[in-house]
Amino acid sequence: MTPKSFERLSHALLRHAPGDRAGEPGLRAALAQAAGHPGKLVRAHLVLSGAIYHGLRTDSAERLACAVEYFHTASLVLDDLPCMDDATLRRGRACLHRAHGEATTILAALALINRAYSLIGDAMAGAPRAVRTRANACLERCLGVDGLVGGQAWDLAFARSDRSARTVGRIAGAKTGALFELALLLPAALARPSAAEWQALRALCVYWGQAFQIAD
């Protein structure tokens, strides 16, 4: 990703972030921190590039990219909570719950998730029904009990598991792999890939997720 692309996505994340000046100050501050200090934006860049390549207008592609990054950010701030990983730092700063409290952090995560679904609805509004149906199915699989949420549940139960390589791989695939899958397959739905192409893309995301976890 070029510095220009990173700057463009960083600005878009702030521009599309939930909240306004009339909102509760504590929640506004938490959302500003969450949206204003992104990581590498790898997933957002995948979405933006894929969506534009498959014919989505630039403004709609940015909305789709921001939506996926908001899902990612919400998962991180929830993962950092004391009831989850009990982390203290995220991206070189105090975790959101350390700076703004646990309750406000949970509300901020919900606000990001809510905005993400709204942005996807806006971005996909003009797409054919079959495309929107496939995109919705992708969201359910990647973010639900078979994806990110389920992966977090397996992660929390890891201490009670067999702690095998298979279990570790399952967690990595459900958590990290699911977000890569969402970033790649959500814009790919616009191209109406065949079943074989869809499966190949999903397999690629599994390998990406495993590689990312190993490198991390």
Side-chain angles (χ1 to χ4, degrees):
M1 186 193 317
T2 65
K4 185 176 181 180
S5 296
F6 182 87
E7 184 179 5
R8 173 185 180 180
L9 284 168
S10 296
H11 289 163
L13 285 170
L14 288 173
R15 187 168 66 254
H16 292 297
D20 54 39
R21 294 180 181 178
E24 195 278 321
L27 180 59
R28 281 169 39 209
L31 287 167
Q33 178 178 334
H37 301 284
K40 298 180 180 66
L41 298 180
V42 174
R43 297 160 190 80
H45 183 63
L46 279 173
V47 177
L48 182 66
S49 300
I52 291 175
Y53 181 81
H54 292 309
L56 206 63
R57 293 186 322 180
T58 300
D59 59 335
S60 295
E62 283 188 353
R63 284 180 168 82
L64 211 60
C66 287
V68 171
E69 190 58 31
Y70 290 155
F71 284 133
H72 179 224
T73 301
S75 75
L76 295 180
V77 299
L78 291 174
D79 200 32
D80 287 339
L81 286 169
C83 61
M84 298 286 194
D85 285 352
D86 196 15
T88 57
L89 293 174
R90 170 69 66 179
R91 295 168 178 168
R93 293 174 175 266
C95 289
L96 220 65
H97 68 274
R98 294 271 178 165
H100 305 281
E102 294 176 38
T104 298
T105 294
I106 293 171
L107 292 176
L110 290 173
L112 290 169
I113 293 169
N114 185 63
R115 176 55 59 89
Y117 278 114
S118 177
L119 289 174
I120 291 171
D122 288 344
M124 293 285 195
R129 182 175 180 180
V131 171
R132 288 184 279 115
T133 298
R134 174 162 272 185
N136 285 336
C138 180
L139 284 165
E140 170 65 21
R141 184 180 61 255
C142 293
L143 300 176
V145 294
D146 294 325
L148 186 61
V149 171
Q152 183 64 61
W154 280 108
D155 197 12
L156 290 172
F158 182 72
R160 303 188 303 275
S161 73
D162 57 9
R163 305 191 184 190
S164 64
R166 182 177 181 180
T167 299
V168 172
R170 181 178 192 175
I171 293 170
K175 292 180 68 176
T176 308
L179 281 170
F180 275 122
E181 186 175 331
L182 184 64
L184 192 62
L185 297 189
L186 191 58
L190 296 162
R192 305 187 194 186
S194 68
E197 290 171 329
W198 196 260
Q199 285 301 111
L201 289 172
R202 289 190 66 187
L204 175 63
C205 293
V206 171
Y207 293 126
W208 277 357
Q210 299 292 335
F212 190 90
Q213 284 295 104
I214 291 170
D216 195 41

